[in-house]
Coordinates of all heavy atoms in Angstrom, one line a residue:
M1 N 65.8 -28.7 63.6 CA 65.4 -29.2 62.3 C 64.0 -29.6 62.3 O 63.2 -29.4 61.3 CB 66.3 -30.4 61.9 CG 66.3 -30.8 60.5 SD 65.1 -31.9 59.9 CE 65.1 -33.3 61.0
R2 N 63.6 -30.3 63.3 CA 62.2 -30.8 63.4 C 61.2 -29.6 63.3 O 60.2 -29.7 62.6 CB 62.0 -31.5 64.7 CG 62.7 -32.8 64.8 CD 62.4 -33.5 66.1 NE 63.3 -34.6 66.3 CZ 63.1 -35.8 66.0 NH1 62.0 -36.1 65.4 NH2 63.9 -36.8 66.2
A3 N 61.5 -28.5 64.0 CA 60.6 -27.4 63.9 C 60.5 -26.8 62.5 O 59.4 -26.5 62.1 CB 61.1 -26.3 64.9
G4 N 61.6 -26.8 61.8 CA 61.6 -26.3 60.4 C 60.7 -27.2 59.5 O 60.0 -26.7 58.7
M5 N 60.8 -28.5 59.7 CA 60.1 -29.5 58.9 C 58.6 -29.3 59.2 O 57.7 -29.4 58.3 CB 60.5 -30.9 59.2 CG 61.9 -31.2 58.8 SD 62.1 -31.1 57.0 CE 61.3 -32.6 56.5
V6 N 58.2 -29.1 60.5 CA 56.8 -28.9 60.9 C 56.3 -27.6 60.3 O 55.2 -27.6 59.7 CB 56.7 -28.9 62.4 CG1 55.3 -28.5 62.8 CG2 56.9 -30.3 63.0
V7 N 57.0 -26.5 60.5 CA 56.6 -25.2 60.0 C 56.4 -25.2 58.5 O 55.4 -24.8 57.9 CB 57.5 -24.1 60.4 CG1 57.2 -22.8 59.7 CG2 57.5 -23.9 61.9
M8 N 57.4 -25.8 57.8 CA 57.2 -25.8 56.3 C 56.2 -26.8 55.8 O 55.5 -26.6 54.8 CB 58.6 -26.1 55.7 CG 59.5 -24.8 55.8 SD 60.9 -24.9 54.7 CE 61.9 -26.0 55.6
G9 N 56.0 -27.9 56.6 CA 54.9 -28.8 56.3 C 53.6 -28.2 56.4 O 52.7 -28.4 55.6
L10 N 53.4 -27.4 57.5 CA 52.2 -26.6 57.6 C 52.0 -25.6 56.5 O 50.9 -25.3 56.1 CB 52.1 -26.0 59.0 CG 52.0 -26.9 60.2 CD1 52.1 -26.2 61.5 CD2 50.8 -27.8 60.1
G11 N 53.1 -25.0 56.1 CA 53.0 -24.0 55.0 C 52.6 -24.7 53.7 O 51.8 -24.1 53.0
L12 N 53.1 -25.9 53.5 CA 52.7 -26.7 52.3 C 51.2 -27.0 52.4 O 50.5 -27.1 51.5 CB 53.5 -27.9 52.1 CG 54.9 -27.7 51.5 CD1 55.7 -29.0 51.6 CD2 54.8 -27.2 50.1
G13 N 50.7 -27.3 53.7 CA 49.3 -27.6 53.9 C 48.5 -26.4 53.6 O 47.4 -26.5 53.0
I14 N 49.0 -25.2 53.9 CA 48.2 -23.9 53.5 C 48.2 -23.8 52.0 O 47.2 -23.4 51.5 CB 48.9 -22.7 54.3 CG1 48.6 -22.8 55.8 CG2 48.3 -21.4 53.7 CD1 49.4 -21.9 56.6
L15 N 49.3 -24.0 51.4 CA 49.4 -24.0 49.9 C 48.4 -25.0 49.3 O 47.8 -24.6 48.3 CB 50.8 -24.2 49.4 CG 51.1 -24.1 47.9 CD1 50.8 -22.7 47.4 CD2 52.5 -24.6 47.6
W16 N 48.3 -26.1 49.9 CA 47.3 -27.1 49.4 C 45.9 -26.6 49.5 O 45.1 -26.7 48.5 CB 47.5 -28.4 50.3 CG 46.4 -29.4 50.1 CD1 46.1 -30.1 49.0 CD2 45.4 -29.8 51.0 NE1 45.0 -30.9 49.2 CE2 44.6 -30.7 50.5 CE3 45.1 -29.4 52.4 CZ2 43.5 -31.3 51.1 CZ3 44.1 -30.0 53.0 CH2 43.3 -30.9 52.4
I17 N 45.5 -26.0 50.6 CA 44.2 -25.4 50.8 C 43.9 -24.3 49.8 O 42.9 -24.2 49.2 CB 44.0 -25.0 52.3 CG1 44.0 -26.2 53.2 CG2 42.7 -24.2 52.4 CD1 44.0 -25.8 54.7
V18 N 44.9 -23.4 49.7 CA 44.7 -22.3 48.8 C 44.6 -22.8 47.3 O 43.8 -22.3 46.6 CB 45.9 -21.3 48.9 CG1 45.9 -20.2 47.8 CG2 45.9 -20.6 50.3
G19 N 45.4 -23.8 47.0 CA 45.4 -24.4 45.6 C 44.0 -25.0 45.4 O 43.5 -24.9 44.3
L20 N 43.5 -25.7 46.4 CA 42.1 -26.3 46.2 C 41.1 -25.2 46.0 O 40.2 -25.4 45.1 CB 41.8 -27.1 47.5 CG 42.3 -28.5 47.6 CD1 41.9 -29.1 48.9 CD2 41.9 -29.4 46.5
N21 N 41.1 -24.2 46.8 CA 40.1 -23.1 46.6 C 40.3 -22.3 45.4 O 39.3 -21.8 44.8 CB 40.2 -22.2 47.9 CG 39.7 -22.9 49.1 OD1 38.8 -23.8 49.0 ND2 40.2 -22.5 50.2
A22 N 41.5 -22.2 44.9 CA 41.7 -21.4 43.7 C 41.6 -22.2 42.4 O 41.7 -21.6 41.3 CB 43.1 -20.7 43.7
G23 N 41.4 -23.5 42.5 CA 41.2 -24.3 41.3 C 42.5 -24.6 40.5 O 42.5 -24.7 39.3
A24 N 43.6 -24.7 41.3 CA 44.9 -25.0 40.6 C 44.8 -26.5 40.2 O 43.9 -27.2 40.5 CB 46.0 -24.8 41.6
A25 N 45.8 -26.9 39.4 CA 45.9 -28.2 38.9 C 45.8 -29.3 40.0 O 46.6 -29.2 41.0 CB 47.2 -28.4 38.1
N26 N 44.8 -30.2 39.9 CA 44.6 -31.1 40.9 C 45.8 -32.0 41.3 O 46.0 -32.3 42.4 CB 43.4 -32.0 40.6 CG 42.1 -31.4 40.8 OD1 41.9 -30.5 41.6 ND2 41.0 -31.8 40.0
W27 N 46.5 -32.5 40.2 CA 47.6 -33.3 40.5 C 48.7 -32.6 41.3 O 49.3 -33.2 42.2 CB 48.2 -33.9 39.2 CG 48.9 -32.8 38.3 CD1 48.3 -32.1 37.3 CD2 50.2 -32.4 38.4 NE1 49.2 -31.2 36.8 CE2 50.4 -31.4 37.4 CE3 51.3 -32.8 39.2 CZ2 51.6 -30.8 37.2 CZ3 52.5 -32.2 39.0 CH2 52.7 -31.2 38.0
L28 N 48.9 -31.3 41.0 CA 49.9 -30.6 41.8 C 49.5 -30.3 43.2 O 50.2 -30.4 44.2 CB 50.3 -29.3 41.1 CG 51.4 -28.4 41.7 CD1 52.7 -29.2 41.8 CD2 51.6 -27.2 40.9
V29 N 48.2 -30.0 43.3 CA 47.7 -29.7 44.7 C 47.8 -30.9 45.6 O 48.2 -30.8 46.7 CB 46.2 -29.2 44.5 CG1 45.5 -29.1 45.9 CG2 46.1 -27.8 43.9
W30 N 47.4 -32.1 45.1 CA 47.4 -33.3 45.9 C 48.8 -33.8 46.1 O 49.1 -34.4 47.1 CB 46.4 -34.3 45.3 CG 45.0 -33.9 45.6 CD1 44.1 -33.3 44.7 CD2 44.3 -34.0 46.8 NE1 43.0 -33.1 45.3 CE2 43.0 -33.5 46.6 CE3 44.7 -34.4 48.1 CZ2 42.1 -33.4 47.7 CZ3 43.7 -34.4 49.1 CH2 42.5 -33.8 48.9
A31 N 49.7 -33.6 45.1 CA 51.1 -34.0 45.3 C 51.7 -33.1 46.4 O 52.5 -33.6 47.3 CB 51.8 -33.9 44.0
T32 N 51.3 -31.8 46.4 CA 51.8 -30.9 47.5 C 51.3 -31.4 48.9 O 52.0 -31.3 49.8 CB 51.3 -29.5 47.2 OG1 51.8 -29.1 45.9 CG2 51.8 -28.5 48.2
F33 N 50.0 -31.8 48.9 CA 49.5 -32.3 50.2 C 50.3 -33.5 50.6 O 50.6 -33.7 51.8 CB 48.0 -32.7 50.0 CG 47.4 -33.4 51.1 CD1 47.1 -32.7 52.3 CD2 47.2 -34.8 51.1 CE1 46.5 -33.3 53.4 CE2 46.6 -35.4 52.2 CZ 46.3 -34.7 53.3
C34 N 50.6 -34.5 49.7 CA 51.3 -35.7 50.1 C 52.7 -35.3 50.6 O 53.2 -35.9 51.6 CB 51.4 -36.6 48.9 SG 49.9 -37.4 48.4
I35 N 53.4 -34.4 50.0 CA 54.7 -33.9 50.5 C 54.6 -33.2 51.8 O 55.5 -33.3 52.7 CB 55.4 -33.1 49.4 CG1 55.7 -34.0 48.2 CG2 56.6 -32.5 49.9 CD1 56.4 -33.4 47.1
A36 N 53.5 -32.5 52.0 CA 53.3 -31.9 53.3 C 53.2 -32.9 54.4 O 53.8 -32.8 55.5 CB 52.0 -31.0 53.3
I37 N 52.5 -34.0 54.2 CA 52.3 -35.1 55.1 C 53.7 -35.7 55.3 O 54.0 -36.1 56.5 CB 51.3 -36.1 54.6 CG1 49.9 -35.4 54.6 CG2 51.3 -37.3 55.5 CD1 49.4 -34.9 55.9
L38 N 54.4 -35.9 54.3 CA 55.8 -36.5 54.4 C 56.7 -35.6 55.3 O 57.4 -36.1 56.1 CB 56.4 -36.7 53.0 CG 57.8 -37.2 53.0 CD1 57.9 -38.7 53.5 CD2 58.4 -37.2 51.6
S39 N 56.6 -34.3 55.1 CA 57.4 -33.4 55.9 C 57.0 -33.5 57.4 O 57.9 -33.6 58.2 CB 57.2 -32.0 55.4 OG 57.9 -31.1 56.2
L40 N 55.7 -33.5 57.6 CA 55.3 -33.6 59.0 C 55.6 -35.0 59.6 O 56.0 -35.1 60.8 CB 53.8 -33.4 59.1 CG 53.3 -32.0 58.8 CD1 51.8 -31.9 58.7 CD2 53.8 -31.0 59.7
A41 N 55.6 -36.0 58.8 CA 55.9 -37.4 59.3 C 57.4 -37.5 59.6 O 57.8 -38.1 60.6 CB 55.5 -38.4 58.3
S42 N 58.2 -36.9 58.8 CA 59.7 -36.9 59.0 C 60.1 -36.2 60.3 O 61.1 -36.4 60.8 CB 60.4 -36.4 57.8 OG 60.2 -35.1 57.6
A43 N 59.3 -35.2 60.7 CA 59.6 -34.5 61.9 C 59.4 -35.3 63.1 O 60.0 -35.0 64.2 CB 58.7 -33.2 62.0
I44 N 58.7 -36.4 63.0 CA 58.5 -37.3 64.2 C 59.4 -38.6 64.1 O 59.1 -39.5 64.8 CB 57.0 -37.7 64.4 CG1 56.5 -38.4 63.2 CG2 56.2 -36.4 64.7 CD1 55.1 -39.0 63.5
A45 N 60.3 -38.5 63.2 CA 61.2 -39.7 63.1 C 62.0 -39.9 64.4 O 62.3 -38.9 65.1 CB 62.2 -39.5 61.9
P46 N 62.4 -41.1 64.7 CA 63.1 -41.3 66.0 C 64.5 -40.8 66.0 O 65.1 -40.6 64.9 CB 63.1 -42.9 66.1 CG 62.9 -43.3 64.7 CD 62.1 -42.3 64.0
E47 N 64.9 -40.4 67.2 CA 66.3 -39.8 67.3 C 67.4 -40.9 66.9 O 68.5 -40.5 66.7 CB 66.5 -39.4 68.7 CG 65.8 -38.1 69.1 CD 66.4 -36.9 68.5 OE1 67.6 -36.9 68.2 OE2 65.7 -35.9 68.3
S48 N 67.0 -42.1 66.9 CA 68.0 -43.2 66.6 C 68.4 -43.2 65.2 O 69.2 -44.0 64.8 CB 67.5 -44.5 67.1 OG 66.3 -44.8 66.4
A49 N 67.7 -42.4 64.3 CA 68.0 -42.4 62.9 C 68.5 -41.0 62.5 O 67.8 -40.3 61.7 CB 66.8 -42.8 62.1
P50 N 69.7 -40.6 62.9 CA 70.2 -39.3 62.6 C 70.4 -39.0 61.1 O 70.2 -37.9 60.6 CB 71.5 -39.1 63.3 CG 71.9 -40.5 63.6 CD 70.7 -41.3 63.7
S51 N 70.8 -40.1 60.3 CA 71.0 -39.9 58.9 C 69.7 -39.7 58.2 O 69.6 -38.9 57.2 CB 71.7 -41.1 58.3 OG 71.0 -42.3 58.5
L52 N 68.6 -40.3 58.7 CA 67.3 -40.1 58.1 C 66.8 -38.6 58.4 O 66.3 -38.0 57.5 CB 66.3 -41.1 58.7 CG 64.8 -40.8 58.3 CD1 64.6 -41.1 56.9 CD2 63.9 -41.7 59.2
L53 N 67.1 -38.2 59.6 CA 66.7 -36.8 59.9 C 67.4 -35.8 59.1 O 66.9 -34.8 58.7 CB 67.0 -36.5 61.4 CG 66.1 -37.3 62.4 CD1 66.5 -37.0 63.8 CD2 64.6 -36.8 62.2
K54 N 68.7 -36.0 58.8 CA 69.5 -35.1 58.0 C 69.2 -35.1 56.5 O 69.3 -34.1 55.8 CB 71.0 -35.3 58.2 CG 71.5 -34.9 59.5 CD 73.0 -34.9 59.6 CE 73.5 -34.3 60.9 NZ 74.9 -34.2 61.0
A55 N 68.7 -36.3 56.1 CA 68.4 -36.5 54.6 C 67.0 -36.0 54.3 O 66.7 -35.6 53.1 CB 68.6 -37.9 54.2
S56 N 66.1 -36.0 55.3 CA 64.7 -35.7 54.9 C 64.4 -34.4 54.3 O 63.6 -34.3 53.4 CB 63.8 -36.0 56.2 OG 64.2 -35.1 57.2
P57 N 65.1 -33.3 54.7 CA 64.8 -32.0 54.0 C 65.2 -32.1 52.5 O 64.6 -31.5 51.7 CB 65.7 -31.0 54.8 CG 65.9 -31.6 56.1 CD 66.0 -33.0 55.9
F58 N 66.3 -32.8 52.2 CA 66.8 -32.9 50.9 C 65.8 -33.8 50.0 O 65.5 -33.5 48.9 CB 68.2 -33.5 50.8 CG 69.2 -32.6 51.3 CD1 70.0 -32.9 52.4 CD2 69.5 -31.3 50.6 CE1 70.9 -32.0 52.9 CE2 70.4 -30.5 51.1 CZ 71.2 -30.8 52.2
V59 N 65.2 -34.8 50.7 CA 64.3 -35.7 50.0 C 63.0 -34.9 49.6 O 62.5 -34.9 48.5 CB 64.0 -36.9 50.8 CG1 62.8 -37.7 50.2 CG2 65.2 -37.8 51.0
V60 N 62.5 -34.2 50.6 CA 61.3 -33.4 50.4 C 61.6 -32.2 49.4 O 60.8 -32.0 48.5 CB 60.8 -32.8 51.8 CG1 59.6 -31.8 51.6 CG2 60.4 -33.9 52.7
G61 N 62.7 -31.6 49.5 CA 63.0 -30.5 48.6 C 63.2 -31.0 47.2 O 62.8 -30.4 46.2
S62 N 63.8 -32.2 47.0 CA 64.0 -32.8 45.7 C 62.6 -33.1 45.1 O 62.4 -32.9 43.9 CB 64.8 -34.0 45.8 OG 66.1 -33.7 46.2
G63 N 61.7 -33.7 45.9 CA 60.4 -34.0 45.4 C 59.6 -32.7 44.9 O 59.0 -32.7 43.9
L64 N 59.8 -31.7 45.7 CA 59.1 -30.4 45.3 C 59.8 -29.8 44.1 O 59.1 -29.2 43.2 CB 59.2 -29.4 46.5 CG 58.3 -29.7 47.7 CD1 58.6 -28.8 48.8 CD2 56.8 -29.5 47.3
L65 N 61.1 -30.0 44.0 CA 61.7 -29.5 42.8 C 61.3 -30.2 41.5 O 61.0 -29.6 40.5 CB 63.3 -29.6 42.9 CG 64.1 -28.8 41.9 CD1 63.8 -27.3 42.0 CD2 65.6 -29.1 42.2
G66 N 61.1 -31.5 41.7 CA 60.5 -32.3 40.6 C 59.1 -31.9 40.2 O 58.8 -31.8 39.0
L67 N 58.3 -31.6 41.2 CA 57.0 -31.1 41.0 C 57.0 -29.8 40.3 O 56.2 -29.5 39.4 CB 56.2 -31.0 42.3 CG 55.7 -32.3 42.9 CD1 55.0 -32.0 44.3 CD2 54.7 -33.0 42.0
W68 N 57.9 -28.9 40.6 CA 58.0 -27.6 40.0 C 58.4 -27.7 38.5 O 57.7 -27.1 37.7 CB 59.1 -26.8 40.7 CG 59.4 -25.5 40.1 CD1 58.6 -24.4 39.9 CD2 60.7 -25.2 39.4 NE1 59.3 -23.4 39.2 CE2 60.6 -23.9 38.9 CE3 61.9 -25.9 39.3 CZ2 61.6 -23.3 38.2 CZ3 62.9 -25.3 38.6 CH2 62.8 -24.0 38.1
I69 N 59.3 -28.6 38.2 CA 59.7 -28.8 36.8 C 58.5 -29.4 36.0 O 58.2 -28.9 34.9 CB 60.9 -29.7 36.7 CG1 62.2 -29.0 37.3 CG2 61.2 -30.2 35.3 CD1 63.4 -29.8 37.5
A70 N 57.8 -30.3 36.6 CA 56.7 -30.9 35.9 C 55.6 -29.9 35.8 O 54.9 -29.8 34.7 CB 56.1 -32.1 36.7
A71 N 55.4 -29.0 36.8 CA 54.3 -28.0 36.7 C 54.7 -27.0 35.6 O 53.8 -26.6 34.8 CB 54.2 -27.3 38.0
L72 N 55.9 -26.6 35.5 CA 56.3 -25.7 34.4 C 56.1 -26.3 33.0 O 55.7 -25.7 32.1 CB 57.7 -25.2 34.6 CG 58.0 -24.2 35.7 CD1 59.5 -23.9 35.8 CD2 57.2 -23.0 35.6
A73 N 56.5 -27.6 32.9 CA 56.4 -28.3 31.7 C 54.9 -28.4 31.2 O 54.6 -28.4 30.0 CB 57.0 -29.6 31.7
M74 N 54.0 -28.6 32.2 CA 52.6 -28.8 31.9 C 51.8 -27.5 31.9 O 50.6 -27.6 31.7 CB 52.0 -29.8 32.9 CG 52.7 -31.2 32.8 SD 52.0 -32.3 33.9 CE 50.6 -32.9 33.1
G75 N 52.4 -26.4 32.1 CA 51.7 -25.1 32.0 C 50.7 -24.9 33.2 O 49.7 -24.3 33.0
V76 N 51.1 -25.3 34.4 CA 50.2 -25.1 35.5 C 50.2 -23.6 35.9 O 51.2 -22.9 35.5 CB 50.7 -26.0 36.7 CG1 50.0 -25.6 38.0 CG2 50.6 -27.4 36.4
V77 N 49.2 -23.2 36.6 CA 49.1 -21.8 37.0 C 50.4 -21.4 37.7 O 51.0 -22.1 38.5 CB 48.0 -21.7 38.1 CG1 47.9 -20.3 38.7 CG2 46.6 -22.0 37.4
G78 N 50.9 -20.2 37.2 CA 52.2 -19.8 37.6 C 52.5 -19.7 39.1 O 53.5 -20.1 39.6
W79 N 51.5 -19.1 39.9 CA 51.8 -18.9 41.3 C 51.9 -20.2 42.0 O 52.8 -20.3 42.9 CB 50.6 -18.1 41.9 CG 49.3 -18.7 41.9 CD1 48.3 -18.6 41.0 CD2 48.8 -19.6 42.9 NE1 47.2 -19.3 41.3 CE2 47.5 -20.0 42.5 CE3 49.3 -20.1 44.1 CZ2 46.7 -20.9 43.2 CZ3 48.5 -21.0 44.8 CH2 47.2 -21.3 44.4
M80 N 51.2 -21.2 41.7 CA 51.3 -22.5 42.4 C 52.7 -23.2 42.1 O 53.3 -23.7 42.9 CB 50.2 -23.4 41.9 CG 50.1 -24.8 42.6 SD 49.5 -24.6 44.3 CE 49.6 -26.3 44.9
A81 N 53.1 -23.1 40.8 CA 54.4 -23.7 40.4 C 55.5 -22.9 41.2 O 56.4 -23.6 41.7 CB 54.6 -23.6 38.9
W82 N 55.5 -21.6 41.2 CA 56.5 -20.9 41.8 C 56.6 -21.0 43.3 O 57.6 -20.9 43.9 CB 56.6 -19.4 41.3 CG 57.1 -19.4 39.9 CD1 56.3 -19.3 38.8 CD2 58.4 -19.6 39.5 NE1 57.1 -19.4 37.7 CE2 58.4 -19.6 38.1 CE3 59.6 -19.8 40.1 CZ2 59.6 -19.7 37.3 CZ3 60.8 -19.9 39.4 CH2 60.7 -19.8 38.0
W83 N 55.4 -21.1 44.0 CA 55.4 -21.4 45.4 C 56.0 -22.7 45.7 O 56.7 -22.9 46.7 CB 54.0 -21.2 46.0 CG 53.7 -19.8 46.4 CD1 52.8 -19.0 45.8 CD2 54.2 -19.1 47.5 NE1 52.8 -17.8 46.5 CE2 53.7 -17.9 47.6 CE3 55.2 -19.5 48.5 CZ2 54.0 -16.9 48.5 CZ3 55.5 -18.5 49.5 CH2 54.9 -17.3 49.5
T84 N 55.7 -23.7 44.8 CA 56.4 -25.0 45.0 C 57.9 -24.9 44.9 O 58.6 -25.5 45.7 CB 55.8 -26.0 43.9 OG1 54.4 -26.0 44.0 CG2 56.4 -27.4 44.1
F85 N 58.3 -24.1 44.0 CA 59.8 -23.9 43.8 C 60.3 -23.2 45.1 O 61.4 -23.6 45.6 CB 60.1 -23.0 42.6 CG 61.5 -22.6 42.5 CD1 62.4 -23.6 42.1 CD2 61.9 -21.3 42.7 CE1 63.8 -23.2 41.9 CE2 63.3 -21.0 42.6 CZ 64.2 -21.9 42.2
A86 N 59.6 -22.2 45.6 CA 60.1 -21.5 46.8 C 60.2 -22.5 48.0 O 61.2 -22.4 48.8 CB 59.1 -20.4 47.2
F87 N 59.3 -23.4 48.2 CA 59.4 -24.4 49.2 C 60.5 -25.3 49.0 O 61.2 -25.8 50.0 CB 58.0 -25.1 49.4 CG 57.1 -24.4 50.3 CD1 56.0 -23.7 49.8 CD2 57.2 -24.4 51.7 CE1 55.1 -23.0 50.6 CE2 56.3 -23.7 52.5 CZ 55.2 -23.0 51.9
A88 N 60.7 -25.7 47.7 CA 61.9 -26.6 47.4 C 63.2 -26.0 47.9 O 64.0 -26.6 48.5 CB 61.9 -26.9 45.9
I89 N 63.4 -24.7 47.6 CA 64.6 -24.0 48.0 C 64.7 -23.9 49.5 O 65.7 -24.1 50.1 CB 64.7 -22.6 47.3 CG1 64.7 -22.8 45.8 CG2 65.8 -21.8 47.8 CD1 65.9 -23.6 45.3
A90 N 63.6 -23.6 50.1 CA 63.6 -23.5 51.6 C 64.0 -24.8 52.2 O 64.7 -24.9 53.2 CB 62.2 -23.1 52.1
Y91 N 63.5 -25.9 51.7 CA 63.9 -27.2 52.3 C 65.3 -27.5 52.0 O 66.0 -28.1 52.9 CB 63.0 -28.4 51.7 CG 61.7 -28.6 52.4 CD1 60.5 -28.1 51.8 CD2 61.6 -29.2 53.6 CE1 59.3 -28.3 52.4 CE2 60.4 -29.4 54.2 CZ 59.2 -28.9 53.7 OH 58.0 -29.1 54.3
A92 N 65.8 -27.2 50.8 CA 67.2 -27.3 50.5 C 68.1 -26.5 51.5 O 69.1 -27.0 52.0 CB 67.6 -27.0 49.1
L93 N 67.7 -25.3 51.8 CA 68.4 -24.5 52.7 C 68.4 -25.1 54.1 O 69.4 -25.0 54.9 CB 67.9 -23.0 52.7 CG 68.2 -22.3 51.4 CD1 67.5 -20.9 51.5 CD2 69.7 -22.1 51.2
L94 N 67.2 -25.6 54.5 CA 67.1 -26.3 55.8 C 68.1 -27.5 55.9 O 68.7 -27.7 56.9 CB 65.7 -26.7 56.1 CG 65.4 -27.5 57.4 CD1 65.7 -26.6 58.6 CD2 64.0 -28.0 57.5
G95 N 68.1 -28.2 54.8 CA 69.0 -29.4 54.8 C 70.5 -29.0 54.9 O 71.2 -29.6 55.6
L96 N 70.8 -27.9 54.2 CA 72.2 -27.4 54.3 C 72.5 -26.9 55.8 O 73.6 -27.2 56.3 CB 72.4 -26.3 53.4 CG 72.5 -26.6 51.9 CD1 72.6 -25.4 51.0 CD2 73.7 -27.5 51.7
A97 N 71.6 -26.2 56.4 CA 71.8 -25.8 57.7 C 71.9 -26.9 58.7 O 72.7 -26.9 59.6 CB 70.6 -24.9 58.2
V98 N 71.1 -28.0 58.5 CA 71.2 -29.1 59.4 C 72.5 -29.9 59.2 O 73.1 -30.3 60.1 CB 70.0 -30.1 59.1 CG1 70.2 -31.4 59.8 CG2 68.7 -29.4 59.6
G99 N 72.9 -29.9 57.9 CA 74.2 -30.6 57.6 C 75.4 -29.9 58.2 O 76.5 -30.5 58.4
M100 N 75.3 -28.6 58.4 CA 76.4 -27.8 58.8 C 76.6 -27.7 60.3 O 77.6 -27.4 60.9 CB 76.4 -26.4 58.2 CG 76.5 -26.4 56.7 SD 76.3 -24.7 56.1 CE 77.9 -24.2 56.1
E101 N 75.5 -28.1 61.0 CA 75.6 -27.9 62.5 C 76.4 -29.1 63.1 O 76.3 -30.2 62.6 CB 74.2 -27.9 63.1 CG 73.4 -29.2 63.1 CD 72.0 -29.1 63.7 OE1 71.5 -28.0 63.7 OE2 71.5 -30.1 64.2
P102 N 77.2 -28.8 64.0 CA 78.1 -29.8 64.6 C 77.3 -30.9 65.4 O 76.3 -30.5 66.0 CB 79.1 -29.1 65.5 CG 78.3 -27.8 65.8 CD 77.4 -27.5 64.7
T103 N 77.7 -32.1 65.3 CA 77.0 -33.1 66.1 C 78.0 -33.5 67.2 O 79.1 -33.9 66.9 CB 76.7 -34.3 65.2 OG1 77.9 -34.8 64.5 CG2 75.6 -34.0 64.1
L104 N 77.5 -33.4 68.4 CA 78.3 -33.8 69.5 C 78.0 -35.2 70.0 O 76.8 -35.7 69.8 CB 78.0 -32.8 70.7 CG 78.3 -31.3 70.4 CD1 77.8 -30.5 71.6 CD2 79.7 -31.1 70.1
P105 N 79.0 -35.9 70.5 CA 78.7 -37.3 70.9 C 77.7 -37.3 72.1 O 77.8 -36.4 72.9 CB 80.0 -37.9 71.3 CG 80.9 -36.7 71.4 CD 80.3 -35.6 70.6
R106 N 76.8 -38.2 72.1 CA 75.8 -38.3 73.2 C 76.5 -38.9 74.4 O 77.1 -40.0 74.3 CB 74.6 -39.1 72.8 CG 73.9 -38.4 71.6 CD 72.7 -39.2 71.2 NE 71.6 -38.9 72.1 CZ 70.4 -39.4 71.9 NH1 70.1 -40.1 70.9 NH2 69.4 -39.1 72.8
T107 N 76.2 -38.3 75.6 CA 76.7 -39.0 76.8 C 75.5 -39.4 77.6 O 74.5 -38.8 77.7 CB 77.5 -37.9 77.6 OG1 76.6 -36.8 77.9 CG2 78.7 -37.5 76.9
T108 N 75.6 -40.6 78.1 CA 74.5 -41.2 78.8 C 74.8 -41.4 80.3 O 75.9 -41.4 80.7 CB 74.0 -42.5 78.2 OG1 75.1 -43.4 78.2 CG2 73.4 -42.3 76.9

């Protein structure tokens, strides 16, 4: 799960850079950057918080979904809005995959 959060966080970082260079809507570009940082930060969450680790892909995906809806409503450049939607779905799928994996009791 951590690897997925890091890879997709870096992907959002690339989307941020491309959006800056292409002149996409500033609010969406910088919100994407903030969510990329949140994704990377959640990947370093402590092991002692398994519920936080399982919830973080859904939180990030929900934030991106909200950004996508706002971008469509405000008429933002189509490619930026739809890439935001694609990342939202990817985070939701990651969250489902993490939620479905069996958790074994830890032995010390």
